[in-house]
Amino acid sequence: MKIGNDDLRARTFKWLFGRNSEFWPTNMKTGMWAWVGHRLTGIILVVYVFMHLSFLTQASLSHEKFNSLMQVTAQPAFVFMDFMLVCAVIYHAMNGFRVVLFDMGVGIRKQKLVFWIMMAIAAVLVAVGFWLLFDAGLFNGEWF
Amino acid sequence: MSEHRIATSKVAGTWAWFFQRLSAVLLVILLAAHIIAAHYWHVGEEISVDTVNERLKNVAFIAIDYSMLAMVLLHGLNGTRTVLFDFDMFIKRRKAVDKGLWILGIATMIWGIVILWPFISG
Ligand code: HEM
């Protein structure tokens, strides 16, 4: 039987977001959350790389523009966004390490435990990163 | 969207799979160096054209920055390819997707090299 495009679209939508979809929050287990998070952070990082290059382009085009742009990004809200980016990298890297371990045949049977061990390490790294920024006064006491 | 998802290595190729792992391991080292050196070493210091200039006088920084960009592009776009190939729409056009990503990657690499050049040459 041939299915029309609209039909396919509706089915795809249900497959992705429906109550029975494997992506419905209550249907997701640890491994699935880990994968969704990995994919999301991966995509965010790719987008960021292009933003990063754009900012640097401003610098090579006009020094005044770059310097004032850097002053804007030194505001606490932007530092916080930078910090969120560091969190994304740390999550992606720690879970990526977990995936590589599994591919080498290490720890698959204990994948949940491995996930939480990695997240514990990630939490320590995030805390250290936060402390360094906080200690340098980059949040300016505005938020914290 | 594919109704039945298959292992990434089968769709995207074993080399793509292997390379994703290799670049991941290299990225951990490079990214750590880049983030610490560029953001945490002199944390709190103002960033301006002058400070970037100063930093890029050091060959080590240039090496780190350029190899980082190459790795990030290879890893990031290879990863994007995996994501795209989860959709029928793109897997039907594998050749075009591959070509597009290579062009994007190479163009971005050139872009990256060019924009750091004024800093390096002074
Ligand atoms: C810090 C070092 C990093 C490590 C250890 C790492 C590790 C990994 C690994 C192992 C995979 C394969 C996952 C799988 O096949 O299930 C992967 C996928 C991916 N990575 Fe990274 N990565 C790192 C940094 C980055 C960066 C900087 C970017 C962005 C430019 C990025 C973007 C992606 C994307 C888009 C995918 C595909 C996601 C998917 O297939 O669901 N990664 N990463």
Side-chain angles (χ1 to χ4, degrees):
Chain A
M1 195 182 71
K2 206 164 170 277
I3 30 175
N5 256 348
D6 285 349
D7 232 26
L8 194 65
R9 219 162 279 146
R11 269 188 21 199
T12 301
F13 191 80
K14 239 173 133 181
W15 181 86
L16 263 179
F17 303 109
R19 178 69 185 78
N20 294 319
S21 101
E22 50 184 326
F23 298 110
W24 187 266
T26 51
N27 295 344
M28 296 213 295
K29 299 212 179 87
T30 315
M32 190 64 167
W33 281 108
W35 177 77
V36 169
H38 195 83
R39 183 155 276 199
L40 271 180
T41 48
I43 295 169
I44 290 172
L45 291 176
V46 171
V47 172
Y48 171 74
V49 169
F50 285 94
M51 285 168 52
H52 194 51
L53 286 177
S54 309
F55 273 36
L56 278 172
T57 304
Q58 300 279 313
S60 63
L61 289 180
S62 148
H63 288 189
E64 291 78 43
K65 232 175 164 185
F66 180 74
N67 286 351
S68 60
L69 196 64
M70 285 302 107
Q71 267 161 18
V72 173
T73 56
Q75 290 165 5
F78 282 90
V79 175
F80 187 72
M81 266 155 49
D82 260 358
F83 173 68
M84 293 310 285
L85 189 77
V86 170
C87 293
V89 172
I90 291 175
Y91 172 81
H92 189 93
M94 293 323 289
N95 188 58
F97 194 50
R98 168 176 165 271
V99 173
V100 174
L101 281 180
F102 293 168
D103 287 336
M104 298 193 307
V106 179
I108 301 193
R109 281 161 201 272
K110 293 214 167 21
Q111 65 97 0
K112 275 190 200 170
L113 179 66
V114 175
F115 179 76
W116 289 114
I117 292 174
M118 288 305 178
M119 288 307 106
I121 301 174
V124 172
L125 292 175
V126 165
V128 171
F130 183 82
W131 173 249
L132 288 175
L133 293 176
F134 181 76
D135 197 40
L138 286 190
F139 293 117
N140 275 348
E142 263 185 53
W143 288 24
F144 301 98
Chain B
M1 177 68 72
S2 309
E3 293 266 313
H4 306 283
R5 279 191 283 113
I6 337 168
T8 306
S9 63
K10 291 224 175 106
V11 191
T14 315
W15 278 110
W17 171 85
F18 177 70
F19 186 77
Q20 198 67 355
R21 271 73 193 153
L22 184 71
S23 56
V25 175
L26 290 174
L27 267 177
V28 174
I29 304 166
L30 289 170
L31 255 181
H34 176 78
I35 294 178
I36 292 172
H39 297 285
Y40 279 102
W41 205 252
H42 298 286
V43 69
E45 216 171 70
E46 202 174 298
I47 299 175
S48 70
V49 173
D50 293 336
T51 57
V52 178
N53 244 334
E54 199 48 48
R55 211 163 56 211
L56 288 175
K57 291 229 159 56
N58 188 335
V59 184
F61 275 107
I62 302 171
I64 291 178
D65 282 355
Y66 278 160
S67 40
M68 258 267 310
L69 182 60
M71 277 302 142
V72 149
L73 285 173
L74 286 163
H75 180 92
L77 294 179
N78 192 26
T80 306
R81 181 171 174 266
T82 309
V83 176
L84 291 179
F85 283 175
D86 267 353
F87 297 85
D88 279 343
M89 186 175 136
F90 294 107
I91 195 121
K92 272 193 216 141
R93 300 173 176 80
R94 290 180 60 125
K95 287 246 169 71
V97 170
D98 283 350
K99 210 184 208 173
L101 289 174
W102 271 111
I103 293 174
L104 181 63
I106 292 171
T108 312
M109 189 69 214
I110 295 174
W111 178 22
I113 291 176
V114 169
I115 53 176
L116 275 198
W117 202 250
F119 290 106
I120 295 167
S121 60

